[in-house]
Structure formats: C-alpha cells, structure tokens
Amino acid sequence: MQGCDASVLLDGSATGPGEQQAPPNLTLRPSAFKAINDIRDRLERECRGAVVSCSDILALAARDSVVASGGPEYRVPLGRRDSPRFATAQDVLSVLPPPSSNVPSLLDVLRKIGLDATDLVALSGGHTVGLGHCTSFDDRLFPRPDPTMSPDFLGRLKRTCPAKGTDARTVLDVRTPNVFDNKYYVNLVNREGLFVSDQDLFTNATTRPIVERFARSQRDFFQQFGVSMVKMGQIKVLTGDQGQVRRNCSARNSGTADGLQWSSLVQTVVDAAAEGLGF
Ligand code: HEM
C-alpha cells in the first residue's frame, strides 16, 4: 500500500486493525507470516542484531519461493527499511484492485506506481502457483456464466463451487498448479484464466500480444518476470535513516532510535545496487 516496506506484516494495534485485517488480505496465509518471522529470528542470531529488514527478507523470500517452484533466479537489490506504520483497511480497499478488475482499471492502478502493461502481464504470471477461493471468482459462474470462459473450464469450476458463496478453493493454474512456468499464459489463450483480472489480459487488445508472447516463450516470461519483480520491489522503499529495521516483523520497534546504527551499511548496499555494482 505504502510501498515495499513490509507494512503488511504488522499486526493491528490498539489504534485499529492492520492491513492484514483488510478484506482483500484476509486470505494471506498465517504460515507465511510465521515463515518470515522464523527467518528474521535466525538472521538476528547470525548477524547479532537487527541488520536485515523485514522488507528485504520478504523480497528475498519471494525470489527464493519462485526459484524453489521452478521459476527464474533474479538479483534483488537490498537495503530497504521497514515502515513503523501499517496502512488502514480503508487504504487497502481503495488501492488494491479486486479480482473482478478489467485491464483498463488495473493499468490505472499500476500507472500510479510506475508500472506498465508489460509489468502487469508479467507479474500476473505469479498466478502460475497457488490457490483462490470460490468467492474470488464465483460472480463469473453465477447467475450467468462469463462468456469469455471455456465451457469445459466452467463445468470444472462449478463442481468445486456448486453455489455462490461456497467455501472452497481451487488452483490458479489449471495445467501445472505447483510449478512456476509459463502455463498460466497457455491457460489464458485457452480461456481458462480463473479471475476476470487474469482472463481479461487475453481479451484486451493492449495486453493480448504480451500474453501470446509469454505463452510461446517461457524464456521471455522468466526474463520479464525478474525485471518486473525488481521494479515492484523498489516502489517507495525506505532507506537511510527512514523507517526502522524491525526486531519482530509483526510489531514495530518501540522507541525511535532503533536500528539506526546500521543505516550506513544499508545505504551502501542501496547505492551499490543503484550503480549496478551488485550487492
Ligand atoms: C494484478 C493484480 C492482482 C490481482 C487482482 C490478484 C488477485 C488475487 C486473488 C483474488 C487471489 C486469491 C485470493 C483467494 O481467493 O484466496 C490471489 C492469489 C495469489 N496471487 Fe494474486 N493478484 C494480483 C497480482 C499478483 C501478483 C503481482 C502476484 C505475484 C507476483 C500474485 C501472486 C499470487 C499468488 C501466489 C496467489 C496464491 C496465494 C495462495 O495460494 O494462498 N498476484 N491473487
């Protein structure tokens, strides 16, 4: 919401519910939040202090999950610091596009954060793994089937979600649900995208050629996915003495001077990345 600052990891507080409690984020998995905190604890021990920020851990964990499921390796610039504040539920609702969004409205949202149509198509390829709830797409099944969906796929989804509001989940990528590959785009070409936000990438004249290119070439998809992830991971990052390096990813540090002794190291890494020197 506020940039790549790990604010989504913060628990709510006495001042109100956090980002996690906002409806679009309710499906984020508790096991994922725990995994990040476990990594954080191990780094705290290894580095003897709060050196690696939760936002850098998130960016690296995202990269490693992609690699572990068969996807591309890409270099992640480091040096982010963490926000001491979470976005409100209202902010989340006003900024995060719902899965019923079409391409023009997705592009509107992305343009505001410096991303374009190619980024949209490449990043949506993240839906090559994972699960979605019936309630995220059942308005495409009831009361009338979405005509852009293949009849076979419709039949299959109706077996998982026989009525509106069924509490069940299905795979986002019907061909290779657990492998990070380009089959997500092959699904779209075959009208087997799960959300409107997926299928419209093929219906829309601006994004269709990009979908077709990625469906033909996994190499092109992998290359662009890395570029777009790095771009997304640099949106409004906190560096230098901004924000903090959280000791516990779920809670902001108390006091104000926390973690600042590491700002020069962090800044050096950011500068090196910006100059293309690696990290
Ligand atoms: C383009 C805008 C996007 C929309 C509208 C969107 C929407 C959604 C929705 C509705 C779900 C399922 C929630 C549920 O019903 O449980 C989901 C799941 C998921 N999304 Fe996206 N998403 C978008 C972009 C992305 C991006 C950029 C990535 C990563 C690069 C991504 C990766 C995932 C993954 C991995 C899951 C599965 C999570 C799980 O298995 O628990 N999505 N997305």
Side-chain angles (χ1 to χ4, degrees):
M1 290 306 97
Q2 310 164 151
C4 191
D5 62 5
S7 58
V8 73
L9 302 179
L10 288 169
D11 287 338
S13 71
T15 59
E19 275 171 71
Q20 285 168 37
Q21 280 80 46
N25 286 336
L26 288 173
T27 53
L28 295 177
R29 302 191 197 195
S31 57
F33 294 117
K34 181 174 181 311
I36 297 291
N37 263 333
D38 289 349
I39 296 170
R40 175 76 193 79
D41 290 346
R42 287 179 67 172
L43 282 167
E44 175 97 25
R45 282 198 299 276
E46 291 291 325
C47 307
R48 294 172 213 276
V51 179
V52 186
S53 66
C54 298
S55 38
D56 274 351
I57 294 173
L58 257 186
L60 290 167
R63 192 266 322 263
D64 289 353
S65 344
V66 167
V67 173
S69 48
E73 182 108 41
Y74 52 91
R75 287 159 65 90
V76 180
L78 300 175
R80 298 169 190 79
R81 288 166 63 88
D82 303 322
S83 170
R85 267 170 297 119
F86 49 74
T88 65
Q90 226 172 0
D91 295 336
V92 176
L93 277 174
S94 67
V95 180
L96 253 196
S100 55
S101 311
N102 61 14
V103 167
S105 60
L106 291 168
L107 286 177
D108 271 354
V109 173
L110 262 67
R111 205 169 297 121
K112 291 185 190 131
I113 48 175
L115 301 178
D116 61 22
T118 306
D119 297 316
L120 171 63
V121 177
L123 291 171
S124 298
H127 290 173
T128 177
V129 291
L131 301 170
H133 287 78
C134 296
T135 47
S136 297
F137 58 85
D138 60 9
D139 49 357
R140 300 187 70 204
L141 315 180
F142 312 105
R144 269 177 306 281
D146 180 335
T148 65
M149 186 183 283
S150 102
D152 280 357
F153 190 52
L154 174 74
R156 188 186 161 122
L157 292 181
K158 277 191 156 175
R159 282 195 288 282
T160 308
C161 316
K164 195 146 173 53
T166 304
D167 184 16
R169 291 185 301 176
T170 190
V171 295
L172 300 183
D173 171 356
V174 67
R175 283 191 164 66
T176 50
N178 299 317
V179 182
F180 196 104
D181 59 12
N182 69 335
K183 294 291 189 294
Y184 165 81
Y185 301 101
V186 176
N187 299 337
L188 301 187
V189 172
N190 286 285
R191 303 199 288 142
E192 294 164 343
L194 193 60
F195 306 136
V196 171
S197 63
D198 296 316
Q199 193 56 51
D200 204 46
L201 297 173
F202 184 67
T203 309
N204 182 280
T206 307
T207 45
R208 184 179 191 146
I210 312 170
V211 169
E212 289 172 332
R213 179 158 68 89
F214 292 162
R216 273 194 311 270
S217 168
Q218 177 159 289
R219 219 168 138 244
D220 279 14
F221 164 50
F222 278 10
Q223 192 273 336
Q224 184 61 47
F225 185 80
V227 169
S228 297
M229 282 296 280
V230 168
K231 232 168 135 180
M232 183 165 70
Q234 293 188 349
I235 295 171
K236 288 198 264 169
V237 290
L238 303 173
T239 59
D241 59 2
Q242 299 166 324
Q244 54 187 208
V245 175
R246 262 182 243 144
R247 297 213 169 75
N248 167 358
C249 292
S250 315
R252 70 188 173 119
N253 299 345
S254 51
T256 49
D258 35 39
L260 289 187
Q261 72 266 33
W262 299 106
S263 62
S264 58
L265 163 68
V266 166
Q267 191 59 49
T268 306
V269 179
V270 171
D271 293 344
E275 288 162 24
L277 302 176
F279 40 90

